[in-house]
Amino acid sequence: MISRNDVIIKINERLRSQISDAAIAAWAFDLFYSIEQGEEEVDIESCDAITDALDELMFADEKPFALDDADLYRLITRLE
């Protein structure tokens, strides 16, 4: 089951430069569609917050949708 904390951990990896924008975007894309296809489960109370965050993250490697550190911290705050 995917939790809010799983997404926060991944965002923190990006903030610490452990993964690239492309890597977090690919991870978010894969996870978003796994959830949509029923291959991954999300707590019903967290579903909207998680899928909204993934929706923003999966385009983070494209210039018009790039997320800076402040954007990533806002995502963490929304997930907490």
Side-chain angles (χ1 to χ4, degrees):
M1 177 161 301
I2 303 302
S3 70
R4 291 172 185 244
N5 196 51
D6 294 326
V7 180
I8 291 170
I9 288 169
K10 193 59 77 170
I11 293 170
N12 279 319
E13 288 176 6
R14 170 55 195 86
L15 285 166
R16 290 189 303 267
S17 299
Q18 294 174 322
I19 60 174
S20 66
D21 288 338
I24 199 168
W27 173 82
F29 180 87
D30 291 343
L31 185 54
F32 184 88
Y33 285 103
S34 291
I35 292 167
E36 289 292 312
Q37 297 297 315
E39 297 167 359
E40 292 284 350
E41 292 183 30
V42 179
D43 174 33
I44 194 74
E45 292 178 14
S46 300
C47 188
D48 288 343
I50 290 172
T51 56
D52 288 348
L54 293 175
D55 187 47
E56 288 189 48
L57 290 169
M58 69 180 152
F59 299 106
D61 61 337
E62 296 180 23
K63 293 272 188 219
F65 306 106
L67 301 174
D68 62 16
D69 287 359
D71 295 323
L72 295 172
Y73 283 116
R74 276 193 292 278
L75 280 177
I76 289 172
T77 299
R78 287 188 354 224
L79 287 163
E80 292 177 327

